[in-house]
Amino acid sequence: MARCLASAPATSELVVAPGNPGTAAIATNLAIDPASPVEVVELATQMGADLVVVGPEAPLVAGVADAVREAGIPVFGPGAEAARLEGSKAFAKDVMSAAGVPTAEAVACTTEGELSAALDRFGAPYVVKDDGLAAGKGVVVTSDRAAAMDHGMACLAKEREQLQPDAPESAVLVEEYLDGPEASMFCVCDGATVRPLAPAQDFKRLADGDAGPNTGGMGAYSPLTWAPEDLAEQVVRDIAQPVVDEMARRGTAFIGLLYCGLALTGNGLRVVEFNVRFGDPETQAVLARLTSSLPDLLHSAATGRLTEAPEPTWSEQAAVDVVLAAPGYPGTVTTGGSITGIEEAEALPDVHVLHAGTGLDDDGHLIASGGRVLSVVALAPSVAEARARAYEAIERINLDGAQYRTDIAAEH
């Protein structure tokens, strides 16, 4: 997002809080607490910001966008109540039901007995979801009933800080399994109008062949050559617009990014999940193809003028994003490893490397500081060529014990 915002002619200055070594090269990093409404408002006021973009989900659920909006500064991101579409899966199901949006049938469970009964009701493959925020790792899909039960019990036992005073009591959802390929669609919303971005597909499992534990995402690609040509129109008509209308009816305007995680089943589109911000790692692939101005689009949404904004435009090239993760991810992560080879990777045509879990050691050398460390993004005339270029680039990067999948976009 920072790369796309910084490169637009409309941007005169970009501040990223707290940022990382990658954003430091294109923006000013300021080490504030991004989940503190007070600190974000103070910074935006001091710098005379024309637009605040709230990236992660935790600050949105904490009400950062509300505070910025109340201060009279345009902000792209939903308020805390609207952010419950991601912060509570039970709330999202309630909104979808009211809006007539197609999704998997689900049961919200608060006890061991309810969990066991729900698993028996739906049968294998079991889909068990933490109701709250889980950084993309709160879902288990398994044919092993014991594993499904264990995950559900862990969700029930987990102590979560209640960011919402009226947060729902349910702690875990059991859903019916949805067949068919999955896709991700980002929709920019201004509270009334919806503008779709290009669809993408991500890869959640850690290992090749969709093996291993769920992660926040190990790679993505765009466009989806196999998807229906009218996928964006279907999503707006049947999913995003009804949800935005329902939120408005409830007096909770949804202003920001509605991420629609979709299953293209034999019975049509079904919503797998909603997020309320640009999702990782699809954003890296989608924004790599955007040729129109991201800040202009987001400012139009933040100020309720999305109908006046031109439609986003896209490169004919395909984009493939491969995530480089630290040793141990998504479990106990080993940080501190030295990273080299980024310049060599970016020497390849149409390749850029985006920082996520990176930092600097005491000597100023780049090191891994988190689970997903880098995203290696390549553009090329076809998905196959972009894929080959991304893997050629990632092989030039060195991090001891690093993990990455070798089959991102292999069967597009």
Side-chain angles (χ1 to χ4, degrees):
M1 288 175 62
R3 179 180 183 271
C4 204
L5 291 168
S7 63
T11 303
S12 58
E13 180 184 3
L14 180 65
V15 170
V16 179
N20 62 36
T23 59
I26 58 173
T28 301
N29 287 350
L30 290 177
I32 68 165
D33 178 2
S36 167
V38 172
E39 291 188 34
V40 175
V41 168
E42 285 181 352
L43 173 58
T45 302
Q46 289 170 7
M47 65 179 290
D50 299 300
L51 175 66
V52 173
V53 180
V54 186
E57 61 271 34
L60 291 168
V61 173
V64 167
D66 291 308
V68 175
R69 207 165 272 126
E70 288 167 7
I73 301 170
V75 55
F76 184 80
E81 182 65 20
R84 288 178 63 199
L85 283 172
E86 178 170 0
S88 169
K89 293 176 178 61
F91 176 77
K93 289 290 187 184
D94 180 66
V95 171
M96 282 187 274
S97 176
V101 170
T103 185
E105 187 179 353
V107 173
C109 306
T110 60
T111 67
E112 181 178 358
E114 290 175 355
L115 173 62
S116 179
L119 292 176
D120 291 341
R121 172 183 170 184
F122 289 116
Y126 305 102
V127 182
V128 184
K129 296 183 175 182
D130 191 327
D131 182 56
L133 297 179
K137 300 187 285 292
V139 181
V140 162
V141 181
T142 179
S143 294
D144 184 337
R145 190 183 186 283
M149 193 71 188
D150 287 346
H151 180 67
M153 290 303 296
C155 294
L156 288 173
K158 188 174 68 173
E159 294 183 3
R160 291 198 311 273
E161 179 183 358
Q162 293 292 334
L163 297 176
Q164 302 284 341
D166 58 346
E169 294 180 355
S170 60
V172 62
L173 264 69
V174 178
E175 292 190 356
E176 67 172 323
Y177 176 77
L178 296 176
D179 65 339
E182 293 192 4
S184 301
M185 179 70 74
F186 297 160
C187 294
V188 175
C189 312
D190 70 357
T193 302
V194 175
R195 284 283 172 82
L197 303 185
Q201 186 178 61
D202 75 332
F203 296 75
K204 288 293 187 188
R205 301 277 187 170
L206 177 68
D208 289 1
D210 286 331
N214 234 31
T215 73
M218 295 300 292
Y221 72 98
S222 177
L224 305 183
T225 55
W226 49 267
E229 288 188 9
D230 66 341
L231 178 62
E233 289 80 0
Q234 287 185 53
V235 171
V236 172
R237 182 187 68 234
D238 299 333
I239 297 170
Q241 192 67 60
V243 166
V244 168
D245 292 345
E246 172 62 18
M247 296 299 284
R249 187 190 68 78
R250 296 180 180 211
T252 312
F254 189 91
I255 301 167
L257 197 289
L258 182 64
Y259 164 109
C260 304
L262 309 165
L264 280 66
T265 76
N267 296 316
L269 276 180
R270 295 289 184 273
V271 174
V272 176
E273 65 174 348
F274 286 137
N275 289 339
V276 296
R277 35 81 197 186
F278 280 97
D280 198 6
E282 299 97 319
T283 297
Q284 289 88 322
V286 170
L287 293 188
R289 299 183 56 232
L290 183 69
T291 55
S292 52
S293 171
L294 181 64
D296 285 344
L297 179 66
L298 302 190
H299 189 269
S300 295
T303 55
R305 298 181 297 104
L306 201 51
T307 55
E308 303 170 20
E311 292 283 348
T313 57
W314 304 97
S315 167
E316 292 294 323
Q317 290 190 304
V320 172
D321 163 32
V322 180
V323 171
L324 184 80
Y329 179 78
T332 302
V333 175
T334 300
T335 59
S338 175
I339 304 167
T340 60
I342 290 180
E343 289 185 2
E344 290 81 356
E346 292 189 321
L348 290 168
D350 291 324
V351 168
H352 58 271
V353 179
L354 301 171
H355 294 237
T358 66
L360 300 176
D361 64 15
D362 292 340
D363 297 320
H365 298 136
L366 190 67
I367 59 171
S369 64
R372 288 183 293 173
V373 180
L374 300 169
S375 281
V376 179
V377 184
L379 287 159
S382 69
V383 172
E385 291 171 277
R387 179 179 182 276
R389 190 170 290 172
Y391 280 111
E392 184 182 356
I394 206 167
E395 289 171 2
R396 299 186 178 192
I397 299 173
N398 299 298
L399 170 63
D400 285 347
Q403 309 177 80
Y404 63 88
R405 284 183 60 157
T406 66
D407 63 347
I408 302 301
E411 298 180 4
H412 64 280

